[in-house]
Amino acid sequence: QVRVMESGGDSVQTGGSLKLSCSTSGYTVEHHCMAWFRQGSGTGREGVAGMDQTGSKYYSQSAKGRFTISRDNEANVIYLQIDRAQPEDAGVYYCGGSHLYYCYDWNREIPATDITYWGQGTQVTVSS
């Protein structure tokens, strides 16, 4: 049985930094495409960052330049570093695992429909 577990959500001031973690069991992060999604109040899940098995990284326009996705293969964990946090970064962040090995289309958009396994989410609040 696959489990996906996010952690690290917190309240951060505008301009501050935060690092989210996603660990899995029954699933190897380096062998698949994985992604981070954000869901704001009253909105759907937006893919903000993804990574495929080669280590190629994909970012939404809103995430480019401030978000960094990374992976620790030995620990089987992926991370999302948020720098220079903005109010629009607030929301519940979900980690998702795909059955895909390559996800070149994620250059345009990271669709939630590509994700098979979801975590429960971790809350990020940005205060001024």
Side-chain angles (χ1 to χ4, degrees), residues 1-126:
Q1 183 179 0
V2 174
R3 290 188 64 200
V4 178
M5 297 149 286
E6 305 94 339
S7 62
D10 204 346
S11 179
V12 61
Q13 287 192 323
T14 299
S17 297
L18 195 64
K19 190 170 186 176
L20 308 180
S21 301
C22 171
S23 60
T24 72
S25 61
Y27 181 93
T28 305
V29 300
E30 68 174 300
H31 291 170
H32 300 91
C33 293
M34 291 200 71
W36 285 96
F37 291 76
R38 176 181 61 231
Q39 186 163 14
S41 176
T43 66
R45 292 186 188 184
E46 175 196 7
V48 294
M51 178 183 282
D52 70 15
Q53 70 163 354
T54 71
S56 295
K57 302 176 183 181
Y58 307 91
Y59 296 98
S60 67
Q61 276 301 120
S62 64
K64 281 179 182 176
R66 295 190 301 109
F67 289 22
T68 304
I69 189 170
S70 62
R71 184 174 68 199
D72 184 333
N73 294 339
E74 189 171 335
N76 204 36
V77 174
I78 66 165
Y79 302 97
L80 183 69
Q81 175 76 33
I82 302 173
D83 294 318
R84 300 187 303 282
Q86 300 298 311
E88 57 266 30
D89 297 334
V92 179
Y93 281 73
Y94 295 91
C95 176
S98 170
H99 277 133
L100 301 172
Y101 304 112
Y102 304 102
C103 34
Y104 304 124
D105 287 349
W106 287 10
N107 263 322
R108 295 192 302 270
E109 179 188 2
I110 304 173
T113 51
D114 277 358
I115 301 303
T116 304
Y117 306 108
W118 292 99
Q120 293 300 305
T122 187
Q123 179 76 49
V124 172
T125 304
V126 182

